[in-house]
Amino acid sequence: MKSAKLGKLWESLHSSFWFVPTLMLVLAIGLSFITIGIDQSRETNIIGKLGWTYSLGPSGSRAILSAIAGSMMSVATTAFSITIVALQLASSQFGPRLLRNFIRDTGNQVVLGTFIATFVYCLMVLRTINGVEENEFVPHLAVTVGIGLAIASIGVLIYFIHHSAISIQVDRVIKKVGDDLDRTIDRLFPDQIGRSASKQPEEESLAAIPADFDRLSRAITARESGYIQAIDDDRLMQIATEHNLLLRVERRPGRFVVKGSQLMRVFPGEKIDRQLAAKIADTVEIGIQRTEQQDLEFSIDQLVEIAARALSPGINDPFTAIRCIDQLSAALCHFAQREIPPPYRYDDRHRLRVIAEPLEFADAIDAAFNQIRQYGQSSVAVTMRLLEAIATIAPFTHRKLDRTALKRHAETVERGSQTGIVEELDRQDVQDRYLAALKAIEQF
């Protein structure tokens, strides 16, 4: 796994609205120097005679570049205004935590970058046009490229209008969050995890933990309050091996920690000085918000938030909630087929070094279904779709604990329907789905 710090930096840049436009601006400046340099070379006359190049005089060149530059700023301002409106709509309809998905949209970043880059390119070329008769210079190729950038910007504007219209559609938003969830599962739970410590018997792993671990270990505390965004596993293992330590991680990514609270415990505590404690604490990245870098529940919570808002009395949109349940069930089917890494991590000499409890399937299904079940307890359609989702997930589970978690949720949904649904025929429909879910669970 790449460094947690590099991952956090990339996540920050990818989620910013300035990084891609800034890169495109720098490229535009470089392109202006290249085209102007070609125009200033000996090939200028040949370039001017080409039929596809711009070949008018200084005044015409200034006029067309000025028109392009002015229009680009106007269009960029309009595009930015449309983006702000889309962000406001997304915040009110889908929840403020989904704003990151709109801000990090590469399409929006490229659109804004194209307009700004074209504007800066035209300014850079304008400064080289010389209308003095004895020293007249018109960069024909550079002006031609500017016209080409203007035409490309028109195409980008058409794309932006289309993209803005479809990006706020609820089905598209849910699908995009679902795709992010699938990518997070692939990244955190690959098919082949490497040298698996699962070959080590759990009884042997437990026996490797000193009996006086809690008494003689020392706590490593958080130096600031916030959400754990990532833990540098490789660095943590390296520190534990170099100093012959055993570390137990107390908080996994996604959890909120208060300054001074425990992040992990280190044994033996007598080896820990201030410098080593700082090195261990530096392996934990803490920020003001959760990210999907190492937090699978974050992407799940985004879908749950959309469903919970749809089920609120003010909106009352069970169809959106059902769409979220479908996406969650697809992700849970994906997750159920992945190997869950054991909590015990060994070094190359087969010595226990790190204990870190992973996210289990039961944790994921709790995060996915609990709040939707609570908010949709009186909705027949949502209740039935939850039971149908459980029946869909069951064939993909291969561990007894996973099927036990599914059965527990099916029973909870069925009990809630007895009090939340009044009509007897509706309760019978729910009962039929419940029996089908139990059959699917017990069949595998």
Side-chain angles (χ1 to χ4, degrees):
M1 183 178 292
K2 62 183 180 180
S3 170
K5 291 185 180 294
L6 291 178
K8 181 179 179 180
L9 176 61
W10 169 247
E11 177 67 23
S12 176
L13 292 176
H14 187 46
S15 300
S16 66
F17 210 56
W18 59 267
F19 180 62
V20 172
T22 300
L23 285 180
M24 296 181 69
L25 187 149
V26 173
L27 291 175
I29 294 175
L31 179 62
S32 68
F33 282 112
I34 293 173
T35 54
I36 292 171
I38 295 175
D39 280 310
Q40 290 174 337
S41 68
R42 297 178 181 179
E43 303 298 328
T44 302
N45 293 333
I46 298 177
I47 293 174
K49 293 178 182 179
L50 294 176
W52 51 267
T53 59
Y54 179 85
S55 57
L56 296 182
S59 59
S61 299
R62 289 196 189 97
I64 194 168
L65 288 177
S66 299
I68 293 173
S71 62
M72 286 302 102
M73 286 308 296
S74 299
V75 172
T77 303
T78 303
F80 186 74
S81 301
I82 294 175
T83 302
I84 294 299
V85 173
L87 292 178
Q88 292 176 340
L89 179 62
S91 178
S92 60
Q93 184 174 357
F94 306 121
R97 274 149 295 280
L98 285 173
L99 286 181
R100 290 178 62 259
N101 293 2
F102 287 87
I103 294 175
R104 67 186 298 186
D105 189 300
T106 305
N108 290 337
Q109 296 173 1
V110 170
V111 167
L112 182 61
T114 300
F115 298 149
I116 295 177
T118 303
F119 169 76
V120 172
Y121 177 86
C122 292
L123 290 185
M124 296 297 293
V125 176
L126 267 172
R127 67 185 178 83
T128 65
I129 298 177
N130 192 347
V132 180
E133 184 174 350
E134 59 273 12
N135 195 23
E136 181 179 298
F137 174 71
V138 178
H140 296 294
L141 178 62
V143 176
T144 303
V145 172
I147 296 174
L149 289 175
I151 296 173
S153 298
I154 295 174
V156 169
L157 177 61
I158 296 172
Y159 160 79
F160 177 70
I161 295 173
H162 168 74
H163 182 69
S164 298
I166 65 174
S167 64
I168 58 177
Q169 295 179 5
V170 64
D171 287 341
R172 181 61 63 92
V173 173
I174 293 173
K175 182 63 169 62
K176 187 173 182 180
V177 177
D179 291 342
D180 289 341
L181 177 55
D182 286 336
R183 284 191 292 269
T184 303
I185 294 172
D186 290 334
R187 185 176 66 254
L188 298 181
F189 301 92
D191 288 332
Q192 299 296 329
I193 299 177
R195 192 186 78 83
S196 176
S198 60
K199 298 178 181 178
Q200 200 85 11
E202 185 174 358
E203 295 78 8
E204 187 175 334
S205 299
L206 292 174
I209 303 175
D212 53 357
F213 180 91
D214 292 329
R215 183 172 59 87
L216 298 182
S217 61
R218 176 177 169 179
I220 302 298
T221 59
R223 292 179 289 184
E224 59 180 321
S225 298
Y227 292 95
I228 298 178
Q229 296 178 335
I231 299 176
D232 194 337
D233 301 335
D234 295 334
R235 179 61 178 156
L236 201 61
M237 177 63 76
Q238 180 183 356
I239 294 174
T241 304
E242 289 178 355
H243 297 275
N244 193 23
L245 302 174
L246 174 59
L247 298 93
R248 186 177 68 197
V249 180
E250 302 289 337
R251 301 284 189 276
R252 66 169 177 250
R255 295 294 183 258
F256 184 82
V257 294
V258 180
K259 182 179 180 180
S261 61
Q262 291 188 21
L263 294 176
M264 59 187 75
R265 297 197 67 87
V266 184
F267 178 91
E270 61 186 16
K271 290 187 176 183
I272 306 300
D273 54 20
R274 180 175 299 180
Q275 183 178 4
L276 183 55
K279 288 173 61 176
I280 296 175
D282 283 342
T283 62
V284 181
E285 292 294 328
I286 298 177
I288 61 174
Q289 61 184 4
R290 296 170 64 183
T291 68
E292 67 270 16
Q293 184 179 351
Q294 293 183 6
D295 183 8
L296 180 64
E297 289 179 291
F298 175 70
S299 296
I300 294 176
D301 289 344
Q302 287 184 312
L303 287 170
V304 172
E305 182 175 8
I306 298 175
R309 282 177 172 266
L311 293 173
S312 64
I315 299 178
N316 193 22
D317 180 12
F319 296 101
T320 297
I322 289 173
R323 184 72 177 85
C324 291
I325 294 172
D326 292 340
Q327 196 68 51
L328 285 168
S329 64
L332 289 171
C333 290
H334 188 191
F335 182 43
Q337 302 174 72
R338 297 305 171 115
E339 180 184 352
I340 306 297
Y344 309 105
R345 316 281 197 239
Y346 292 82
D347 62 12
D348 295 334
R349 297 182 178 180
H350 306 288
R351 293 180 180 177
L352 182 61
R353 293 300 182 190
V354 179
I355 304 172
E357 293 293 337
L359 178 75
E360 299 285 352
F361 178 81
D363 301 322
I365 197 172
D366 287 345
F369 288 163
N370 275 344
Q371 291 192 56
I372 297 179
R373 170 182 55 79
Q374 293 160 4
Y375 284 104
Q377 189 169 327
S378 60
S379 173
V380 179
V382 171
T383 301
M384 289 194 299
R385 186 53 62 93
L386 282 173
L387 292 170
E388 291 170 355
I390 292 173
T392 301
I393 299 168
F396 294 90
T397 57
H398 304 286
R399 295 175 287 263
K400 183 177 180 180
L401 289 177
D402 298 349
R403 291 191 290 271
T404 301
L406 285 176
K407 185 176 181 181
R408 174 170 54 84
H409 274 275
E411 292 171 348
T412 306
V413 171
E414 193 274 336
R415 285 197 303 269
S417 68
Q418 299 301 318
T419 58
I421 299 176
V422 179
E423 175 58 44
E424 179 62 32
L425 291 178
D426 292 336
R427 287 204 297 267
Q428 184 59 48
D429 289 339
V430 171
Q431 186 69 18
D432 293 340
R433 266 64 171 194
Y434 168 67
L435 295 176
L438 289 183
K439 182 178 179 181
I441 294 170
E442 294 170 356
Q443 186 174 355
F444 295 93

